[in-house]
């Protein structure tokens, strides 16, 4: 089982993804971390080497290919960046067997979880003023709107509004189990149809 988790910045991809991996008994990977390890530099410094985000994603996707080729990622949960279902990332994911999940939450909840990092991806403390909170809330709402169609590409879209980390991970796990049951039922149905109506004693059609 391989599960890809995406969503807008600070929606909880890493914390929920890690908890989900524990519930499923599989390994967890954060693609941002894997990219930094693969290229030996921070995300922001790497992005500064490219003129467009498209060209950056195409290059960064090499780290995703490397990760997916590792045996220990065969059964895993992988946290993708917000653009994880776009460009180079999407091309790689479509060639890989796995389930994609987009997390959704209310803008106000995402604002409460907002974190800041310096150019070297080190946590940076920042107390937001009322005006800054209003500005960031506006940006979060803008991101949710702009990524809406992108996240429609995911196999599952899970609303985690009002849930803590454990509850959110549990909800995602339940959604995955529904997909597995539906796929299993579909497989059995196709198997019965493949055998033909003669299975019930009626003469086969010619």
């Amino acid at each position: 089982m391989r599960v890809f988790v995406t969503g807008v910045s600070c929606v909880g991809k890493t914390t929920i993804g890690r908890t989900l991996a524990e519930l499923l008994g599989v390994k967890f990977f954060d693609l941002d971390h894997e990219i930094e390890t693969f290229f030996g530099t921070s995300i922001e410094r790497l992005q500064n080497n490219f003129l467009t985000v498209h060209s950056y994603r195409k290059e960064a996707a090499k780290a995703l290919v490397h990760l997916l080729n590792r045996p220990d990622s065969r059964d895993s949960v992988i946290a993708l960046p917000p653009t994880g279902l776009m460009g180079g990332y999407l091309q790689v994911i479509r060639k890989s067997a796995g389930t994609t999940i987009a997390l959704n939450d209310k803008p106000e909840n995402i604002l409460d979880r907002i974190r800041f990092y310096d150019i070297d991806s080190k946590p940076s403390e920042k107390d937001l003023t009322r005006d800054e909170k209003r500005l960031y809330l506006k940006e979060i709402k803008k991101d949710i709107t702009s990524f809406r169609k992108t996240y429609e590409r995911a196999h599952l879209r899970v609303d985690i509004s009002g849930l803590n980390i454990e509850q959110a991970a549990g909800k995602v796990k339940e959604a995955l189990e529904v997909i597995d049951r539906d796929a299993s039922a579909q497989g059995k149905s196709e198997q019965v149809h493949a055998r033909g109506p003669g299975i019930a004693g009626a003469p086969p059609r010619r």
Side-chain angles (χ1 to χ4, degrees), residues 3-7 13 20 24 77-78 80 85 98-104 151 153-159 171-173 175-176 179:
V3 179
F4 299 96
V5 180
T6 190
K13 299 179 293 291
L20 175 63
L24 297 175
V77 174
I78 301 173
L80 301 173
L85 297 182
T99 302
T100 52
I101 299 173
L103 300 179
N104 179 57
Y151 295 152
R153 297 168 180 164
H155 294 109
L156 289 171
R157 293 184 295 280
V158 181
D159 191 334
K171 185 174 182 179
V172 174
K173 181 175 180 289
L176 286 169
I179 276 191

Side-chain angles (χ1 to χ4, degrees), residues 6 20 27 70 83 87 89:
T6 190
L20 175 63
K27 294 183 70 67
R70 287 168 47 180
T83 57
Y89 298 135

Side-chain angles (χ1 to χ4, degrees), residues 19 23 27 65 76 102 115 138 140 145 165 169 180 195:
T19 303
L23 291 176
K27 294 183 70 67
V65 172
S76 64
R115 296 292 181 271
K138 183 179 179 180
I140 291 170
T145 299
I165 294 172
D180 288 341
R195 289 175 179 172

Side-chain angles (χ1 to χ4, degrees), residues 68-79:
L68 298 183
N69 284 334
R70 287 168 47 180
D72 59 342
S73 77
R74 196 162 297 153
D75 292 305
S76 64
V77 174
I78 301 173

Side-chain angles (χ1 to χ4, degrees), residues 147-205:
F147 279 110
R148 182 169 290 123
K149 287 189 176 297
T150 298
Y151 295 152
E152 287 177 357
R153 297 168 180 164
H155 294 109
L156 289 171
R157 293 184 295 280
V158 181
D159 191 334
I160 59 171
S161 302
L163 304 179
N164 60 33
I165 294 172
E166 290 74 18
Q167 291 170 332
K171 185 174 182 179
V172 174
K173 181 175 180 289
E174 290 175 0
L176 286 169
E177 290 170 347
V178 170
I179 276 191
D180 288 341
R181 287 197 298 269
D182 289 347
S184 178
Q186 179 67 21
K188 291 179 180 178
S189 176
E190 290 176 353
Q191 186 177 27
V192 169
H193 286 302
R195 289 175 179 172
I199 193 172
R205 296 176 182 173

Side-chain angles (χ1 to χ4, degrees), residues 35 43 46-47 50 52-60 89:
I35 291 172
I43 295 291
L46 181 63
Q47 289 176 331
F50 298 89
T52 66
V53 291
H54 175 75
S55 57
Y56 161 74
R57 285 195 296 266
K58 185 175 181 180
E59 182 69 10
Y89 298 135

